[in-house]
Amino acid sequence: MRRISTIVLALMLVSGLSYAQDYKAFKWGLGIGYAIPGGEGAGGGFLLDMEPAYRLSDAIAVGLRVQTALMVAGSISDDGTVTSGKISAVKSYVATGQYYLMDDGFRPHVGLGFGVYRVASIAATSTGAGIGFDNKIGLPIRLGFDAGHFTWLFEYNLVAGSDLDVTAGDIDKINNSYMGIKLGGFFGGGKK
């Protein structure tokens, strides 16, 4: 049974690769952008990523996104004093898929991903502070466009939250989800 499954998978892959494509199969993207953490007191930060991808067809690309995001968030009371703050560093390894809606020079696309997010957080309140490290599963939802060899992308990274012991016995829930707005470029992957 295993041999038959392998043969069927190989035939599907070869038949998928045999279709004529207008775009080069491999592309390597690099991006930089603005990261906005979710939750109360959302601040901001920045992100860097790289994403090698392979086009299964002109309309479908699959890849691996490796991203680092650094973000700061805080809550401010009515009198202007800071009551709590959080600094997070998130490194993610995500398998991605993109579907291109058009086949011209301006190519809007939508996509999803699934992968692991490694989160390091430092949180502080007026009563204490805590440090936490977590591995979480996440799902980026993507919307963007390619124009030439440049890309603009908006993605919302839906990541499970973490529990952080900020004071003795007082557990604080940390929201690890964040929005990313990025601009980048890619090598390869253009018109043949």
Side-chain angles (χ1 to χ4, degrees), residues 8-65:
V8 169
L9 182 62
L11 288 173
M12 288 173 51
L13 181 62
V14 168
S15 68
L17 296 176
S18 66
Y19 290 110
Q21 289 182 305
D22 292 330
Y23 290 88
K24 295 177 185 168
F26 290 100
K27 75 177 203 174
W28 187 277
L30 299 171
I32 186 168
Y34 186 65
I36 305 165
E40 187 178 326
F46 71 95
L47 59 85
L48 297 168
D49 74 11
M50 69 173 187
E51 185 172 351
Y54 180 78
R55 293 186 196 278
L56 298 176
S57 68
D58 284 340
I60 299 172
V62 294
L64 174 67
R65 185 200 76 190

Side-chain angles (χ1 to χ4, degrees), residues 7-8 11 15 29 31 35-36 49 58-59 81-82 87 91 93-94 113 123 133 156 162 172 174 179 181 184-185 190:
I7 292 170
V8 169
L11 288 173
S15 68
I36 305 165
D49 74 11
D58 284 340
T81 60
V82 176
I87 299 173
K91 179 89 170 187
Y93 304 91
V94 176
F133 301 94
Y156 186 78
S162 300
D172 219 11
I174 302 293
M179 224 179 330
I181 302 168

Side-chain angles (χ1 to χ4, degrees), residues 32-120:
I32 186 168
Y34 186 65
I36 305 165
E40 187 178 326
F46 71 95
L47 59 85
L48 297 168
D49 74 11
M50 69 173 187
E51 185 172 351
Y54 180 78
R55 293 186 196 278
L56 298 176
S57 68
D58 284 340
I60 299 172
V62 294
L64 174 67
R65 185 200 76 190
V66 178
Q67 184 178 85
T68 300
L70 301 171
M71 297 167 284
V72 176
S75 297
I76 300 174
S77 68
D78 293 335
D79 65 0
T81 60
V82 176
T83 58
S84 68
K86 178 185 87 162
I87 299 173
S88 292
V90 181
K91 179 89 170 187
S92 60
Y93 304 91
V94 176
T96 61
Q98 282 186 177
Y99 179 75
Y100 289 86
L101 303 170
M102 293 175 59
D103 208 18
D104 296 330
F106 176 78
R107 302 187 72 204
H109 52 79
V110 295
L112 286 172
F114 183 78
V116 176
Y117 289 72
R118 302 184 75 190
V119 181

